[in-house]
Amino acid sequence: MKTNVISIMGWSFLLASIVFSPIYAADYLGEVTAVDDGDSFHMRVDGKGLHVRLCGIDSPERGQPGYGHAAGALASMIEGKQVHCLQVGEGTPCDGRSSAFNRDRIVAQCFIGDKDIAFEMVRSKQACDWPRFSNGYYKRDPATCQR
């Protein structure tokens, strides 16, 4: 009888942790409303704001050389357009290497149409591959910069 009580308690705990735990990974489709820099932006999904950090790349931050060019390149590519983002944990190059959240942002691989936004930023030399998180996914040739 003691074993059955422990088994029931174990299953109850497992079920409660599944039902009440937050779901971290998600799939988002929305319109980009603003760009922060070359690797983060804001979008509107189902009427709510969402702050996104592109996984696997790094671009200059505000005050660093190249910031304006990188932010401008990302804005030209995605601002006011529909993007599709897969949060880390949903089959991205950063799964198992990056958390699903960074500061107040979700971390995601994002696409405009069939184009990977991070890849386009690296290809245009506005961002660098960040192998710690991408495992070299965005390093397409020997000339690709790395963080």
Side-chain angles (χ1 to χ4, degrees):
M1 181 70 178
K2 191 174 187 179
T3 304
N4 289 341
V5 170
I6 292 171
S7 295
I8 291 170
M9 288 175 57
W11 281 107
S12 297
F13 176 76
L14 178 63
L15 181 60
S17 65
I18 291 170
V19 170
F20 296 109
S21 68
I23 297 173
Y24 291 109
D27 187 334
Y28 300 97
L29 182 65
E31 182 180 332
V32 175
T33 57
V35 168
D36 295 328
D37 55 31
D39 58 32
S40 62
F41 59 91
H42 299 264
M43 62 189 286
R44 188 151 287 306
V45 178
D46 296 328
K48 296 179 182 172
L50 184 67
H51 199 179
V52 179
R53 167 68 164 89
L54 294 171
C55 85
I57 66 167
D58 190 40
S59 72
E61 304 298 325
R62 187 178 306 275
Q64 294 179 333
Y67 162 79
H69 289 291
L74 185 59
S76 294
M77 187 186 332
I78 66 173
E79 203 164 56
K81 297 177 183 160
Q82 193 89 10
V83 298
H84 177 217
C85 294
L86 298 172
Q87 190 170 6
V88 167
E90 287 288 308
T92 75
C94 302
D95 288 3
R97 292 175 188 81
S98 174
S99 69
F101 294 93
N102 175 269
R103 299 181 191 160
D104 63 340
R105 306 168 293 190
I106 68 156
V107 181
Q109 180 182 25
C110 300
F111 301 87
I112 185 160
D114 61 349
K115 292 182 180 180
D116 182 324
I117 296 167
F119 174 75
E120 294 299 319
M121 290 298 291
V122 171
R123 186 182 62 74
S124 68
K125 301 187 182 335
Q126 300 302 319
C128 295
D129 177 45
W130 198 347
R132 174 180 170 199
F133 298 111
S134 74
N135 198 33
Y137 183 82
Y138 293 108
K139 182 175 174 71
R140 299 302 179 159
D141 61 56
T144 302
C145 63
Q146 292 184 20
R147 178 165 199 254

